[in-house]
Amino acid sequence: MSAHCQLTGAQPGFGNNISHSHRRTPRRFDPNIQHKRYWLPSEGRHVRLTLSAKAIKTVDTIGIEAAVARIRARGGKV
């Protein structure tokens, strides 16, 4: 599963774990990615999107039609 949000473009960040002795080891900060299925009335079909938790709240606010328009404007396929 790709850790990339279709709406916001959120993707993993990279950094270090720092132990008590201050030894550093590489780590990865993954966004909270979920698969969500929405009904798209304009096309009469369901769409399955890979979204971060923040993007799911954004879809609830602006609506699925506007969200799909934003994804397509970013060059994403729906």
Side-chain angles (χ1 to χ4, degrees), residues 17-24:
N17 282 323
I18 303 179
S19 69
H20 180 71
S21 65
H22 217 64
R23 180 184 284 276
R24 294 163 188 253

Side-chain angles (χ1 to χ4, degrees), residues 6-7 39-42 49 55 58-74 78:
Q6 290 179 292
L7 182 60
W39 174 251
L40 195 58
S42 63
L49 302 176
T58 303
V59 171
D60 291 342
T61 303
I62 66 173
I64 185 62
E65 297 290 343
V68 168
R70 282 189 193 180
I71 292 170
R72 289 181 173 148
R74 292 183 80 240
V78 177

Side-chain angles (χ1 to χ4, degrees), residues 3-78:
H4 185 270
C5 176
Q6 290 179 292
L7 182 60
T8 63
Q11 54 191 1
F14 295 89
N16 289 304
N17 282 323
I18 303 179
S19 69
H20 180 71
S21 65
H22 217 64
R23 180 184 284 276
R24 294 163 188 253
T25 55
R27 65 156 297 174
R28 185 174 142 150
F29 297 90
D30 284 328
N32 185 3
I33 297 294
Q34 308 293 326
H35 292 295
K36 188 108 166 94
R37 191 172 155 224
Y38 290 99
W39 174 251
L40 195 58
S42 63
E43 298 181 15
R45 67 184 181 105
H46 285 97
V47 291
R48 185 175 170 135
L49 302 176
T50 304
L51 302 171
S52 63
K54 181 180 177 183
I56 291 172
K57 295 173 189 175
T58 303
V59 171
D60 291 342
T61 303
I62 66 173
I64 185 62
E65 297 290 343
V68 168
R70 282 189 193 180
I71 292 170
R72 289 181 173 148
R74 292 183 80 240
K77 184 180 174 188
V78 177

